[in-house]
Amino acid sequence: MLAQNAFGSQSAAGNRVFLYEVEGLRQNDATDQNSYPIRQSGSTFIKVPYSRMNEEMQRIVRMGGKIVSIQPLSAD
């Protein structure tokens, strides 16, 4: 599905997906709500659509993580 901009035309931004490499996630009150445990060591990879990049960055920081790299998974 294509995203619409303020002028009503569609862009490919809605199709873009990025891969976040995250280190240092730890179990805390925010992660206790997840249905899975968090490993305290190593890297975790998270697929994030373009439209949710900012929210996901904020969530990672709240969970004590550090974003090591961000790479695009799909080409425009």
Side-chain angles (χ1 to χ4, degrees):
M1 184 171 165
L2 297 176
Q4 289 192 350
N5 64 21
F7 301 106
S9 64
Q10 296 181 343
S11 70
N15 294 332
R16 295 179 7 201
V17 178
F18 294 84
L19 185 66
Y20 287 12
E21 181 180 359
V22 181
E23 289 183 345
L25 290 179
R26 63 180 185 271
Q27 198 74 35
N28 60 24
D29 292 337
T31 59
D32 284 341
Q33 298 174 8
N34 293 339
S35 60
Y36 52 88
I38 300 292
R39 282 182 22 171
Q40 292 191 12
S41 63
S43 295
T44 304
F45 294 90
I46 304 171
K47 288 183 185 178
V48 182
Y50 177 78
S51 61
R52 294 199 30 85
M53 288 182 73
N54 190 34
E55 292 92 350
E56 191 65 25
M57 286 180 191
Q58 292 172 358
R59 187 179 75 86
I60 290 167
V61 170
R62 280 195 308 269
M63 293 189 326
K66 176 183 175 185
I67 298 173
V68 177
S69 69
I70 300 174
Q71 299 175 1
L73 282 182
S74 56
D76 289 348

